[in-house]
């Protein structure tokens, strides 16, 4: 019996790939999934009405790379192809991304031509960043913050006005703390191996590229051919985990909701006991933990305090989400994906997504304001009320976008400890954690955003990789 801890996207994906392995190898592995709440999907939640759609977590998915194509393969297999709504390269949400700096919104370059032109808030064309890289000496390091790396190779302005707000948008984090390997592992390796990014780029052009070893469904082929920028699901991204849940239930996965596991006891290499808060004990041969590292830390603390400590050292941040719906038909925003705010601006908000431009079938104007992240406690204190976040969001919207209308509807949510932070040393820490599990021969696999990437594609691919790895062992 395999026990999956967590009914978020990681847990559902783990169930999906275990079922695929059962089918491919004629196995009859019993699969149980335990979720502490009364619903699946984790942070993916959609609020749908006839006029608007409020996304509480992710709203779009990138189709790029092996992880992106893998997700599209899963989408087609689940029968979701007809629900996909792509954003192609010529769409305003693909071309127009902005930052707010020096009291003004600035459009970031989206073409090669833009790299050779001077664009505010940068003091010179971005091509000069290439020259900066060519003249900078090599600095040998095992890891570095992405801010330091970009500052060193491409200049302070790129670090402040391009990379720092990008990190805010991806993981609500501080680029001065996040590992360069989180987003620019290849570029960092170019510097370490060849003395510079451009030198490494030039040398890599003459190397034979290893093809992605993945068979593509028609949906994935279409996304690749049409060069989708991102895509979403009509009716809300929550349709994805709901469909996965139905697939698992139809395939006889035993899904238990409102089930709190308070301790994991490892008996030997093929037996583990899950102790529930109601006193029940469930035995399994293997555990797939897809819950956040800080929660898993508490479950293994009694038996494995060193493992618990390393798990708890993975930091998480809290994000405030304010969804706003303006029912007026007059245009309130310029068509774009939205804008981000560099931390150097010291704003209470991280950025704003223009949902009515990104998500189909919206009436009026729909915006999502993101607040806090790495600076949540610093900006808002310990016990901030939702009303306060709404007022802050509205104040910033009126100031930056010059919107004086009152929203016809809104929703405020505080997502506590929702995004792990891949700080400098993160990958070494995860390697150490998995090495400990291997050396102690513990029947547990770690899956999800705490370890292998914070995006939707990363979480799904993490499940696929771990399941395939475990099945290869057996």
């Amino acid at each position: 019996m395999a026990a999956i801890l967590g009914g978020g996207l990681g847990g559902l994906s783990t169930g999906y790939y275990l079922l695929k392995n059962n089918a491919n190898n004629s196995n009859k592995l019993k699969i149980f999934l335990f979720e502490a709440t009364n619903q699946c999907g984790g942070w993916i939640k959609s609020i749908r009405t006839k006029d608007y759609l409020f996304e509480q977590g992710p709203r779009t998915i990138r189709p790029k790379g092996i992880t992106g194509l893998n997700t599209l393969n899963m989408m087609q297999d689940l029968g979701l192809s007809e629900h996909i709504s792509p954003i192609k390269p010529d769409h305003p949400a693909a071309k127009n991304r902005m930052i707010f700096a020096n009291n003004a919104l600035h459009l970031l370059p989206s073409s090669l031509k833009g790299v050779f032109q001077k664009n505010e808030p940068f003091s010179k064309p971005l091509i000069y960043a290439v020259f900066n890289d060519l003249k900078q000496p090599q600095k040998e390091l095992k890891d570095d913050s992405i801010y330091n790396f970009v500052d060193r190779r491409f200049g302070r302005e790129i670090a402040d006005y391009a990379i720092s707000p990008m990190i805010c948008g991806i993981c609500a984090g501080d680029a001065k703390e996040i590992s360069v390997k989180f987003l620019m592992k290849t570029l960092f390796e170019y510097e370490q191996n060849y003395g510079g990014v451009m030198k490494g780029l030039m040398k890599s052009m003459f190397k034979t590229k290893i093809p992605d070893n993945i068979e593509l469904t028609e949906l994935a082929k279409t996304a690749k051919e049409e060069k989708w920028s991102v895509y979403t699901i009509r009716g809300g991204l929550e349709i994805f985990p709901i469909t996965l849940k139905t697939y698992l239930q139809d395939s006889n996965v035993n899904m238990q909701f409102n089930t709190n596991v308070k301790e994991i006891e490892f008996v030997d290499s093929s037996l583990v006991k899950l102790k529930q808060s109601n006193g029940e004990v469930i035995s399994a041969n293997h555990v797939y933990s897809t819950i956040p590292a800080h929660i898993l830390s508490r479950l293994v603390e009694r038996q494995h305090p060193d493992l618990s400590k390393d798990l708890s050292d993975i930091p998480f941040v809290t994000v405030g989400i304010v969804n706003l719906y303006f029912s007026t038909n007059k245009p309130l925003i310029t068509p774009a994906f939205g804008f981000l705010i560099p931390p150097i601006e010291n704003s209470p908000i991280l950025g704003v997504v223009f949902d009515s431009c990104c998500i189909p079938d919206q009436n009026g104007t729909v915006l999502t304001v993101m607040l806090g992240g790495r600076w949540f406690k610093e900006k808002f204190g310990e016990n901030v009320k939702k009303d306060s976040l709404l007022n802050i969001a509205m104040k910033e919207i009126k100031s930056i976008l010059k919107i004086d209308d009152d929203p016809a509807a809104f929703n405020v949510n505080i997502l506590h400890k929702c995004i792990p932070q891949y700080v400098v040393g993160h990958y070494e820490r995860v390697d150490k954690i998995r090495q400990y599990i291997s050396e102690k021969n513990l029947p547990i696999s770690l899956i999800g955003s705490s370890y292998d990437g914070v995006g939707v594609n990363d979480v799904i691919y993490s499940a696929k990789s771990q399941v395939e790895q475990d099945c290869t062992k057996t």
Side-chain angles (χ1 to χ4, degrees):
M1 171 191 153
I4 302 168
L5 297 185
L9 189 59
L12 295 170
S13 299
T14 301
Y16 172 88
Y17 287 114
L18 284 171
L19 287 169
K20 291 296 179 187
N21 182 67
N22 273 359
N24 293 338
N25 298 294
S26 301
N27 292 343
K28 293 182 180 179
L29 177 71
K30 289 184 178 178
I31 305 167
F32 283 70
L33 185 149
F34 303 100
E35 165 58 37
T37 69
N38 62 358
Q39 60 186 15
C40 279
W43 299 113
I44 302 178
K45 289 187 176 68
S46 310
I47 300 171
R48 176 90 228 179
T49 75
K50 65 180 179 63
D51 292 316
Y52 59 83
L53 173 68
F54 286 166
E55 292 286 14
Q56 303 298 285
R59 63 212 357 93
T60 56
I61 303 174
R62 287 179 61 80
K64 304 292 196 299
I66 189 169
T67 59
L69 295 170
N70 177 69
T71 300
L72 285 164
N73 282 353
M74 180 191 276
M75 291 273 188
Q76 177 160 326
D77 187 54
L78 293 170
L80 288 171
S81 297
E82 63 187 32
H83 299 282
I84 300 293
S85 176
I87 292 176
K88 299 177 184 178
D90 59 347
H91 192 282
K95 294 191 299 181
N96 302 335
R97 293 174 184 250
M98 300 178 286
I99 61 169
F100 181 76
N102 305 323
N103 295 315
L105 285 169
H106 305 284
L107 198 62
L108 292 171
S110 61
S111 65
L112 184 61
K113 179 182 175 184
V115 174
F116 292 91
Q117 298 172 333
K118 181 178 172 296
N119 299 280
E120 294 288 345
F122 305 102
S123 60
K124 49 193 170 187
L126 297 183
I127 189 65
Y128 280 87
V130 173
F131 302 142
N132 191 79
D133 172 66
L134 290 171
K135 69 181 182 182
Q136 288 302 315
Q138 181 182 14
K139 188 171 183 179
E140 292 187 14
L141 297 163
K142 288 185 177 179
D143 199 355
D144 200 0
S145 76
I146 194 166
Y147 183 93
N148 284 348
F149 171 75
V150 172
D151 182 20
R152 178 171 68 250
R153 303 293 347 156
F154 304 115
R156 180 64 52 88
E157 285 187 345
I158 305 293
D160 279 336
Y161 294 115
I163 296 305
S164 289
M166 186 188 300
I167 292 297
C168 288
I170 295 172
C171 68
D174 186 348
K176 294 180 178 178
E177 298 173 351
I178 300 297
S179 169
V180 63
K181 298 175 187 177
F182 173 64
L183 206 60
M184 296 182 171
K185 183 182 178 184
T186 302
L187 301 189
F188 181 62
E189 288 173 350
Y190 285 164
E191 180 197 45
Q192 296 304 303
N193 296 329
Y194 303 110
V197 173
M198 297 311 297
K199 291 175 185 175
L201 195 60
M202 295 298 290
K203 295 206 180 221
S204 72
M205 289 171 67
F206 299 100
K207 287 190 175 180
T208 304
K209 289 188 177 180
I210 301 171
D212 293 337
N213 187 23
I214 181 172
E215 288 186 29
L216 300 183
T217 58
E218 288 305 312
L219 181 64
K221 287 176 185 174
T222 300
K224 203 170 181 181
E225 288 164 6
E226 296 180 355
K227 298 180 180 178
W228 295 359
S229 174
V230 293
Y231 64 94
T232 188
I233 298 177
R234 290 185 182 276
L237 209 58
E238 192 177 6
I239 288 172
F240 185 20
I242 289 172
T243 305
L244 261 174
K245 173 191 169 187
T246 302
Y247 177 86
L248 266 57
Q249 289 176 324
D250 290 347
S251 304
N252 298 316
V253 172
N254 189 324
M255 303 183 75
Q256 298 187 17
F257 297 94
N258 299 306
T259 303
N260 264 302
V261 175
K262 68 173 185 178
E263 186 182 345
I264 299 174
E265 181 186 341
F266 299 100
V267 179
D268 57 35
S269 61
S270 60
L271 180 60
V272 57
K273 293 183 177 180
L274 306 176
K275 299 180 178 180
Q276 298 183 32
S277 53
N278 64 2
E280 279 190 47
V281 178
I282 296 165
S283 295
N285 304 112
H286 197 91
V287 172
Y288 291 89
S289 175
T290 72
I291 57 180
H294 63 89
I295 296 176
L296 178 61
S297 167
R298 299 196 296 267
L299 307 189
V300 301
E301 185 176 15
R302 187 183 65 81
Q303 236 184 354
H304 296 278
D306 291 341
L307 175 60
S308 174
K309 173 69 167 59
D310 285 333
L311 288 166
S312 67
D313 282 344
I314 297 174
F316 283 69
V317 297
T318 296
V319 178
I321 297 291
V322 178
N323 306 108
L324 302 167
Y325 166 61
F326 299 90
S327 58
T328 177
N329 289 324
K330 68 180 180 184
L332 298 179
I333 54 172
T334 302
F337 190 87
F339 67 87
L340 294 167
I341 304 183
I344 198 172
E345 295 292 317
N346 198 30
S347 171
I349 70 172
L350 300 170
V352 178
V353 181
F354 295 177
D355 288 321
S356 42
C357 187
C358 310
I359 301 173
D361 307 322
Q362 307 260 46
N363 294 323
T365 298
V366 183
L367 307 174
T368 297
V369 185
M370 302 167 291
L371 305 93
R374 170 63 180 81
W375 302 272
F376 192 91
K377 185 178 174 182
E378 173 190 320
K379 300 286 185 186
F380 312 121
E382 293 275 11
N383 303 302
V384 64
K385 303 295 183 190
K386 290 183 178 181
D387 286 351
S388 297
L389 293 184
L390 175 62
N391 291 335
I392 291 166
M394 285 304 303
K395 181 182 176 184
E396 295 301 311
I397 287 296
K398 288 185 177 184
S399 172
I400 297 170
L401 295 176
K402 314 302 179 191
I403 295 176
D404 293 320
D405 297 50
D406 290 326
F410 62 84
N411 186 74
V412 184
N413 209 349
I414 299 174
L415 310 181
H416 294 280
K417 287 190 168 185
C418 62
I419 308 179
Q421 301 293 285
Y422 288 19
V423 297
V424 174
H426 171 81
Y427 296 91
E428 290 73 18
R429 178 182 289 124
V430 171
D431 286 345
K432 181 184 175 187
I433 289 169
R434 286 188 166 134
Q435 185 66 30
Y436 180 98
I437 289 170
S438 177
E439 288 174 356
K440 300 290 184 184
N441 220 5
L442 304 180
I444 186 170
S445 300
L446 306 183
I447 289 165
S449 63
S450 294
Y451 317 103
D452 302 317
V454 302
V456 167
N457 294 328
D458 301 317
V459 170
I460 294 169
Y461 203 75
S462 171
K464 183 176 190 285
S465 301
Q466 287 299 310
V467 168
E468 288 178 350
Q469 187 176 309
D470 292 333
C471 293
T472 303
K473 287 179 187 175
T474 55

